[in-house]
Amino acid sequence: PNIVSLRVLLLSYACVLLSPVGAERWCSNSPKDIIFRRLGTKTPYRHVQNKDVRSIATVNGCTVSKIWGLFRHGTRNPSKSIIDHMRTTLPELQRDIMENGQICRDQLDLFEQWRPRVTVEEAKLLVREGGEELLHLGQRIRKRFGKHIPERYDDSTFRFKFTKTERAEYSARNFSHGLFGREEPIQYPEALRRDPVLRFYKGCEKWKRQVKQNPYSYREMDRFGSSKEMRSVIEKLSKRIGTFVSPEEVHAIYQTCAFETAWSDRDISPWCLLFDKESISTMEYNEDLKYYWIDGYGYELTYRQACSAFADLFDNYDNERSPRFTFYFTHSGTLLKSIAFLNLYKDIEPLRAENLRHKRKWRVSHIDAFGSNLYFVLYKCSNGTQSVALYHQEKLTHIPGCPEDAPLCSYDHFKQLYADRIQQCDLSTMCYEPLVPSREKDEL
């Protein structure tokens, strides 16, 4: 850490040491309300889902012609690095809490009972809750569109595809089970690690180098890490735990709170009890900054490459012989870049470290929870025209650039919005990154 960061940490530590011995114990009130829709990309789908399944298959004389959608996999286990923290860092903090923690007695009992529930061998695997999320999602789409979706699978009518990951594969299988109400012998195309439609950014070397691996891309998040708001979170958690905690430990606590919340609606993770509404909102904003600059509007290349997914959409809609129902099962990175490609949830000003108090549209807890989805419905209308509707998190969502006052957008108008970007969509050119000496490294 730099000198400023070290000073911040020392000041925080001093605050803990100077706290009165008989300090009032912290007792979290309504913890489920405090964390609701504030868990970043690890937010469970039940926090954002639309349970309203009233039929919307017929709109002003229009009937469903095609559906094309992107679906993020359901709730999974953490990465190996977070599991390592769960199994090493958190048990040490658990002991500190039991010996010196300043939290109320009944909540202290929850910490005493806590044990790590996952091993590194289970990293990133889909969990039962994740399977249920996609199963129920398939069931609701069936109810919503009713007779417009055939009851039996046919490979000329349906196309299901997933990335080469266990979590995406079993999300697809659970979704199809919910859609058909039974196990169907579905033909899945070969899963690819660098799928140019489902996970286009995996093959984009220029984006990896100039955005994802570029330290400059993390500037706002790093600046926010030494802000007074983040210092306040560190101080609060240090007092409640009874020992100084580092920013890395605070992040591990937040991630554990999120995953254990996503895994089950029945129990509250004791690690969530350490946060108040202000501190959890601060952690959420830290997530928003990260994903805004890496997967969102921070750099044009990030979302411009999503053209490959939408080229697939238009190819499907324009070809009468293409399957009527296309369901792709993918990841957070694809959903967020696609959201930015569509100009959804775009704030007037870029997200900055100092703008926590500003109202914002870009909130990954809302727009990129586990199981998040974007699907487009093409309608054929009685007057011979075609219209399109967008559903995000199963809610009818206005397409930026389309008329504000109509639920559907003319397909011709919709197509024109993206015509230039689709026409210029050449990933091999867009993503080509010549090798250059490190001293000439671009900073975007």
Side-chain angles (χ1 to χ4, degrees):
N2 59 36
I3 293 174
V4 174
S5 298
L6 285 173
R7 285 175 180 165
V8 168
L9 298 184
L10 289 171
L11 281 171
S12 300
Y13 189 45
C15 289
V16 175
L17 291 179
L18 294 172
S19 297
V21 176
E24 184 178 343
R25 289 180 176 268
W26 163 251
C27 198
S28 177
N29 294 316
S30 303
K32 286 194 174 185
D33 292 337
I34 288 172
I35 63 174
F36 184 71
R37 292 192 187 178
R38 294 190 179 92
L39 299 174
T41 60
K42 311 309 181 292
T43 296
Y45 189 63
R46 63 179 178 272
H47 285 192
V48 300
Q49 68 187 9
N50 177 20
K51 290 185 176 180
D52 185 356
V53 293
R54 286 174 292 183
S55 177
I56 47 176
T58 304
V59 182
N60 297 330
C62 305
T63 56
V64 174
S65 172
K66 290 189 172 186
I67 298 177
W68 182 100
L70 298 170
F71 297 79
R72 186 186 174 195
H73 60 76
T75 294
R76 61 165 171 81
N77 282 330
S79 63
K80 289 181 180 179
S81 61
I82 296 298
I83 293 174
D84 283 339
H85 277 299
M86 286 179 166
R87 301 189 68 82
T88 56
T89 307
L90 266 56
E92 293 176 6
L93 294 177
Q94 180 188 29
R95 285 191 290 273
D96 290 324
I97 289 169
M98 299 312 300
E99 293 172 7
N100 305 306
Q102 295 296 313
I103 58 177
C104 58
R105 172 53 55 188
D106 60 333
Q107 295 183 349
L108 205 58
D109 292 340
L110 293 175
F111 276 102
E112 188 172 20
Q113 298 162 20
W114 179 84
R115 297 292 182 274
R117 290 152 54 184
V118 62
T119 64
V120 291
E121 291 75 22
E122 299 168 306
K124 293 195 173 183
L125 297 182
L126 193 74
V127 298
R128 179 187 292 272
E129 179 73 10
E132 293 288 315
E133 287 166 342
L134 272 295
L135 177 80
H136 294 149
L137 183 51
Q139 290 172 341
R140 285 193 298 274
I141 286 181
R142 163 66 63 188
K143 289 178 181 176
R144 235 173 242 129
F145 297 101
K147 66 180 185 298
H148 294 273
I149 303 179
E151 292 187 7
R152 300 304 298 254
Y153 169 78
D154 179 276
D155 65 354
S156 65
T157 305
F158 292 91
R159 178 173 168 83
F160 294 87
K161 194 176 186 188
F162 47 78
T163 64
K164 200 166 186 175
T165 60
E166 183 268 0
R167 56 194 181 278
E169 175 179 348
Y170 284 95
S171 291
R173 295 185 184 279
N174 278 278
F175 176 90
S176 64
H177 193 183
L179 187 68
F180 295 113
R182 67 181 80 80
E183 294 283 354
E184 288 278 282
I186 292 170
Q187 296 179 28
Y188 295 101
E190 180 187 359
L192 307 172
R193 289 195 183 278
R194 294 187 172 191
D195 193 304
V197 174
L198 275 65
R199 224 177 183 187
F200 41 83
Y201 51 96
K202 284 292 182 179
C204 193
E205 295 304 319
K206 186 174 184 178
W207 173 77
K208 288 179 186 176
R209 180 176 163 85
Q210 294 193 359
V211 179
K212 190 173 184 182
Q213 297 168 1
N214 185 354
Y216 194 76
S217 301
Y218 299 85
R219 179 184 57 168
E220 296 301 326
M221 193 174 71
D222 290 343
R223 287 179 58 225
F224 189 66
S226 55
S227 67
K228 67 178 188 301
E229 290 89 357
M230 196 59 82
R231 290 201 303 272
S232 175
V233 174
I234 293 170
E235 290 167 11
K236 285 177 180 177
L237 265 63
S238 295
K239 288 177 182 178
R240 291 163 190 171
I241 290 171
T243 188
F244 171 71
V245 290
S246 68
E248 187 180 30
E249 288 169 332
V250 170
H251 177 72
I253 291 169
Y254 177 69
Q255 291 291 311
T256 302
C257 160
F259 276 107
E260 292 187 346
T261 296
W263 288 341
S264 171
D265 190 30
R266 295 185 299 276
D267 308 311
I268 185 77
S269 169
W271 300 101
C272 296
L273 302 174
L274 296 171
F275 295 103
D276 52 36
K277 188 174 180 179
E278 186 176 1
S279 57
I280 201 87
S281 296
T282 301
M283 298 302 295
E284 180 195 15
Y285 190 66
N286 190 61
E287 288 266 295
D288 290 342
L289 282 171
K290 173 184 175 181
Y291 290 101
Y292 180 91
W293 290 97
I294 301 303
D295 285 325
Y297 288 106
Y299 302 101
E300 184 184 1
L301 175 60
T302 300
Y303 54 86
R304 193 157 59 95
Q305 59 183 315
C307 64
S308 63
F310 290 94
D312 185 271
L313 164 67
F314 290 115
D315 285 345
N316 176 272
Y317 278 6
D318 291 341
N319 186 346
E320 286 289 333
R321 295 186 177 183
S322 292
R324 290 181 58 207
F325 303 99
T326 300
F327 302 108
Y328 290 142
F329 298 86
T330 181
H331 304 264
S332 168
T334 302
L335 266 293
L336 288 175
K337 294 174 186 69
S338 298
I339 282 170
F341 180 88
L342 294 167
N343 266 331
L344 290 168
Y345 312 108
K346 186 174 185 179
D347 295 287
I348 296 173
E349 296 292 330
L351 264 61
R352 302 286 185 193
E354 59 272 16
N355 294 345
L356 170 63
R357 307 295 174 193
H358 294 192
K359 189 174 181 180
R360 66 191 185 279
K361 298 175 184 176
W362 183 268
R363 295 185 67 175
V364 293
S365 301
H366 296 217
I367 66 177
D368 187 40
F370 284 127
S372 285
N373 48 84
L374 283 169
Y375 60 84
F376 294 83
V377 182
L378 182 67
Y379 290 90
K380 281 191 175 177
C381 304
S382 55
N383 62 2
T385 62
Q386 294 187 102
S387 294
V388 67
L390 166 62
Y391 294 85
H392 178 224
Q393 316 297 44
E394 304 176 79
K395 302 178 186 75
L396 185 61
T397 302
H398 174 255
I399 300 170
C402 288
E404 295 271 359
D405 56 351
L408 302 185
C409 182
S410 155
Y411 178 60
D412 288 340
H413 181 78
F414 171 69
K415 192 174 178 181
Q416 194 58 40
L417 289 174
Y418 308 100
D420 289 344
R421 283 186 282 171
I422 298 300
Q423 191 174 1
Q424 298 164 15
C425 187
D426 179 358
L427 287 190
S428 60
T429 301
M430 188 186 305
C431 293
Y432 175 67
E433 173 70 349
L435 291 175
V436 294
S438 58
R439 60 187 172 81
E440 296 179 13
K441 181 174 180 178
D442 291 336
E443 285 195 345
L444 293 176

